[in-house]
Amino acid sequence: MRRKRVLLTTVTLAVTGALTAGVLVTMAPAASAGTTLRAAAAEKGRYFGAAVATGKLSNSTYTTILNREFNSVVAENEMKWDATEPQQGVFNYSGGDRLVSHARANGMSVRGHALLWHQQEPGWAQNMSGSALRSAMINHVTQVATHFKGQIYAWDVVNEAFADGGSGGRRDSNLQRTGNDWIEAAFRAARAADPGAKLCYNDYNTDGVNAKSTGIYNMVRDFKSRGVPIDCVGFQSHLGTTLASDYQANLQRFADLGVDVQITELDVMTGGNQANIFGAVTRACMNVSRCTGITVWGVRDCDSWRGSDNALLFDCNGNKKPAYDSVLNALNAGTGIPNPTTTPPNPTTTPPNPTTPPPGGAGCSATVSANSWTGGFVATVKVTAGSGGTRGWSVSVTLPGGTSVTGTWSATASGSSGTVRFANVDYNGQLAAGQVTEFGFQGNGTAPTQTPTCTAS
Ligand code: G3I
């Protein structure tokens, strides 16, 4: 992202919105007030995080603030493609591992940033295209997500893939030129590699309802309808001197699609309105029950990529700024998340009424489709319940010789080559008559083409 982007937010913070938020602040019962950002956020079932440059972890002013105030971290650069795979097939996890280890020692969760981004591609990938790049990028996703498996709360699987301006379409890049399905292929590979991580799409200039955010909204809606494994959307929120009046409404419309939302790279231009904007963004998150946390993009003003904008919550000496108090007050006044940890990966496949399972035994059918590249593929299997519905199902897929399954999502696999049997997981076995669910797998070799057999129970 270029520096000038932060000036692009033009809609003035609506006075009515600010007043409404102010009323909420006054009326909200303050059960107990957290005295740090991390404590105040945790009381509401959320995290409050910071982007970290691991080279600064040896600076005691920096780490004192980091450990006291934040319960989530994200690597500012160390988990990006150029850092983690500087040569093709040669991986370097030293910076990322250092951050994960710091987080574990200090009770912090970790956001992963970012598996695929058109910027900070290593030189070797910048020079690739077509199926060779598709293969390399899916391998990158698989390797990195596998390395950090179990350590990451949420991955930015794809970062900044939509164009600025009024088109609402994709940004041109060598990644995009491998085919429009590159984003879903990346999400499927990430799910296969680390089924426990929430998988996010992350972007900027999405701070209200606009052409870009609507393009992303339409993609997320499409992914949810087709069972592409997406769990969250990140709103970077690199902000200028105003905030869109529909900032919260925009978060809410994404949440209403059945994904979590997170503020992922918050920083705000210095000036008279800075504290107000930090507070308004925090209130917006607190007012959206699926907004699970906020990350600021750095600790002190001098740590920020925005240089003289003084865009963060602490000054260069480590003192709290008025923006800090504004955020802390908004966290303490906010509403807690009703059920922070129970979201299944794909809630859309939950049957309409789980307490009354339909009668089993009347069969099901399955079809398979695949995105392939040289040496590998990601397959999606669509399961359709017969007239009697299902209590559970299993699907047998016959693989071509020399092909093996390397990862599965939304099903459990028995075997990895020849005929592989996939069975439902707990949240997608019960299907009403005619209801459809999807699962998927990734493999080495050649994608299957035979129609699978489906057995209902
Ligand atoms: O580490 C090298 C150093 O060895 C070298 O001497 C120096 C010379 O330029 O460069 C250093 O690397 C820089 C790196 O930051 C670490 O400081 C890169 O040049 C510089 O491009 C890189 O900038 C990062 C930028 O992403 C890259 O586009 C910023 O730190 C980082 O804050 C910024 O973060 C992005 C998010 O990932 C995505 N959203 C936007 C956000 C802000 O641009």
Side-chain angles (χ1 to χ4, degrees), residues 298-342:
V299 176
R300 301 161 302 181
D301 285 340
C302 322
D303 302 317
S304 170
W305 71 292
R306 291 179 60 167
S308 58
D309 280 359
N310 294 324
L312 294 172
L313 301 176
F314 295 87
D315 70 20
C316 295
N317 294 319
N319 299 311
K320 297 169 184 171
K321 294 166 60 182
Y324 173 96
D325 297 321
S326 184
V327 169
L328 185 65
N329 291 340
L331 292 172
N332 279 323
T335 309
I337 288 182
N339 220 346
T341 56
T342 53

Side-chain angles (χ1 to χ4, degrees), residues 1 5 76-77 80 113 117 119-120 159-160 236 238 265 297 305:
M1 146 169 185
R5 287 200 326 224
E76 188 174 0
N77 289 298
K80 292 173 182 174
H113 174 82
W117 184 24
Q119 285 193 21
Q120 286 179 282
N159 191 44
E160 302 180 6
Q236 293 186 10
H238 294 293
E265 304 184 14
W297 203 244
W305 71 292

Side-chain angles (χ1 to χ4, degrees), residues 104-442:
R104 292 178 75 163
N106 291 281
M108 300 162 168
S109 61
V110 182
R111 289 195 89 260
H113 174 82
L115 291 171
L116 292 177
W117 184 24
H118 67 283
Q119 285 193 21
Q120 286 179 282
E121 282 181 21
W124 61 265
Q126 291 175 30
N127 294 327
M128 290 178 92
S129 62
S131 61
L133 177 59
R134 173 64 69 96
S135 181
M137 70 199 210
I138 296 296
N139 184 55
H140 179 76
V141 170
T142 301
Q143 298 296 330
V144 176
T146 299
H147 175 82
F148 291 109
K149 181 178 179 179
Q151 314 290 334
I152 303 294
Y153 164 73
W155 265 113
D156 291 334
V157 178
V158 170
N159 191 44
E160 302 180 6
F162 275 72
D164 289 312
S167 75
R170 299 282 182 85
R171 170 194 300 283
D172 180 51
S173 70
N174 62 344
L175 304 173
Q176 179 64 28
R177 275 175 252 129
T178 69
N180 205 50
D181 61 344
W182 72 277
I183 298 182
E184 60 191 87
F187 274 80
R188 290 186 161 122
R191 175 70 92 228
D194 186 357
K198 288 181 183 286
L199 304 181
C200 300
Y201 176 80
N202 190 50
D203 216 325
Y204 68 92
N205 277 352
T206 52
D207 312 309
V209 176
N210 57 37
K212 185 173 180 179
S213 64
T214 299
I216 296 165
Y217 176 87
N218 289 336
M219 178 188 75
V220 174
R221 186 172 56 183
D222 171 54
F223 280 11
K224 294 297 288 183
S225 75
R226 292 190 293 111
V228 177
I230 185 167
D231 306 310
C232 38
V233 176
F235 297 81
Q236 293 186 10
S237 307
H238 294 293
L239 299 173
T241 54
T242 60
L243 180 68
S245 57
D246 55 0
Y247 184 89
Q248 179 181 317
N250 189 46
L251 299 182
Q252 186 64 58
R253 72 169 174 155
F254 278 84
D256 291 344
L257 291 175
V259 289
D260 289 346
V261 294
Q262 298 161 0
I263 315 304
T264 50
E265 304 184 14
L266 180 61
D267 49 24
V268 181
M269 175 77 81
T270 194
N273 218 15
Q274 185 183 56
N276 292 338
I277 293 177
F278 265 111
V281 168
T282 307
R283 278 193 295 280
C285 179
M286 302 303 279
N287 288 340
V288 174
S289 62
R290 291 199 73 146
C291 184
T292 59
I294 298 172
T295 299
V296 289
W297 203 244
V299 176
R300 301 161 302 181
D301 285 340
C302 322
D303 302 317
S304 170
W305 71 292
R306 291 179 60 167
S308 58
D309 280 359
N310 294 324
L312 294 172
L313 301 176
F314 295 87
D315 70 20
C316 295
N317 294 319
N319 299 311
K320 297 169 184 171
K321 294 166 60 182
Y324 173 96
D325 297 321
S326 184
V327 169
L328 185 65
N329 291 340
L331 292 172
N332 279 323
T335 309
I337 288 182
N339 220 346
T341 56
T342 53
T343 311
N346 268 316
T348 51
T349 56
T350 305
N353 187 355
T355 56
T356 53
C364 56
S365 59
T367 55
V368 62
S369 59
N371 298 320
S372 300
W373 59 90
T374 309
F377 62 91
V378 171
T380 302
V381 181
K382 186 180 281 191
V383 179
T384 306
S387 58
T390 66
R391 292 175 190 273
W393 45 260
S394 72
V395 171
S396 293
V397 178
T398 301
L399 301 175
T403 293
S404 58
V405 172
T406 54
T408 303
W409 59 94
S410 300
T412 52
S414 305
S416 61
S417 58
T419 297
V420 180
R421 180 177 168 275
F422 297 90
N424 65 274
V425 288
D426 55 0
Y427 59 81
N428 63 8
Q430 294 176 9
L431 301 176
Q435 192 179 353
V436 175
T437 190
E438 288 185 342
F439 71 90
F441 58 96
Q442 186 180 1

Side-chain angles (χ1 to χ4, degrees), residues 28-71:
S32 65
T35 57
T36 62
L37 302 173
R38 66 182 283 170
E43 280 181 17
K44 302 297 159 62
R46 295 180 170 87
Y47 67 83
F48 203 92
V52 168
T54 53
K56 294 185 175 162
L57 290 174
S58 52
N59 175 318
S60 66
T61 309
Y62 182 89
T63 41
T64 298
I65 300 170
L66 181 69
N67 297 348
R68 185 187 70 219
E69 298 289 346
F70 299 95
N71 58 0

